[in-house]
Amino acid sequence: MASSSSSTYNSPCAACKFLRRKCMPGCIFAPYFPPEEPQKFANVHKIFGASNVTKLLNDLPSHQREDAVNSLAYEAEARVRDPVYGCVGAISFLQRQVHRLQKELDAANADLIRFACTEMPPPPPLAPNVSDHHHLNNIIHDHPMMSGPPRQGAGGGDSQFYHHHPIGGGGGGFSLPYSTTSLPWSHDNINEGGGGEGHL
């Protein structure tokens, strides 16, 4: 068990093995390119070059080197697959896919709203207010102009408010809502006043 761990510790990193050099203690590639991932360094070396990667890692703080190596490895793998666009092509593809899915989601939401409005029952008709109807009938019945004037009073004579005035000397006539004998230009007042012009 100790010999196995010792051999694993003494094995060169993937970068030194690819470059065919001895992996020294404190190798800057060893923490980020383990020997079991040789293709990772091969892609990075093909796209960026080992010397550029060494310079980049030496310029960065130790807590940022792992993220930088992962970014370089992702970009290098994308460049190997797509030499023209690299990871930009993958990002554009994902953005188009998100846009397409968003349109499908909006269309599905619109269909749901339309179906919900179609299946919604219409509002019930408003029931007539019975009390308002009776109140209107009472107003019509009590109003003298709507219900019709009485032709005669209680004693059989003409009403004091309505006066039956015949037209054309015939039997028909219409009722006025006032007494014509009380007007200053009536026939009786003219005869009593002697000419009637002073009373007008």
Side-chain angles (χ1 to χ4, degrees):
M1 185 71 177
S3 61
S4 175
S5 60
S6 177
S7 61
T8 303
Y9 177 80
N10 293 329
S11 61
C13 65
C16 294
K17 186 175 182 179
F18 183 86
L19 298 174
R20 299 177 183 275
R21 69 183 186 183
K22 186 178 181 180
C23 188
M24 302 297 294
C27 174
I28 196 170
F29 294 122
Y32 314 110
F33 298 101
E36 60 270 11
E37 296 180 3
Q39 191 61 39
K40 180 180 179 181
F41 180 80
N43 293 336
V44 172
H45 175 66
K46 181 179 180 180
I47 301 301
F48 299 103
S51 59
N52 293 328
V53 176
T54 303
K55 182 179 179 181
L56 176 64
L57 293 179
N58 287 328
D59 293 340
L60 290 175
S62 58
H63 66 278
Q64 294 181 355
R65 291 176 181 176
E66 184 176 2
D67 293 337
V69 170
N70 292 334
S71 299
L72 292 174
Y74 184 82
E75 175 66 20
E77 184 178 359
R79 285 284 180 180
V80 170
R81 295 181 178 181
D82 188 356
V84 178
Y85 296 103
C87 64
V88 176
I91 294 173
S92 300
F93 172 77
L94 294 176
Q95 287 179 345
R96 291 193 300 269
Q97 189 174 8
V98 169
H99 182 67
R100 179 178 58 83
L101 294 176
Q102 185 64 45
K103 291 178 65 176
E104 293 180 0
L105 180 60
D106 294 340
N109 289 332
D111 292 339
L112 289 176
I113 294 174
R114 185 172 64 253
F115 292 153
C117 294
T118 303
E119 296 178 358
M120 185 180 299
L126 296 177
N129 196 332
V130 180
S131 61
D132 293 343
H133 181 70
H134 288 313
H135 181 65
L136 181 60
N137 288 337
N138 293 334
I139 293 176
I140 296 175
H141 179 74
D142 296 339
H143 199 280
M145 296 295 293
M146 301 298 292
S147 61
R151 296 299 180 176
Q152 293 182 351
D158 293 339
S159 173
Q160 295 180 357
F161 186 73
Y162 286 93
H163 183 74
H164 187 71
H165 183 72
I167 298 178
F174 65 94
S175 298
L176 297 176
Y178 49 81
S179 177
T180 57
T181 58
S182 62
L183 296 177
W185 55 82
S186 64
H187 180 72
D188 296 336
N189 291 336
I190 293 175
N191 292 334
E192 294 176 0
E197 291 183 359
H199 296 278
L200 293 177

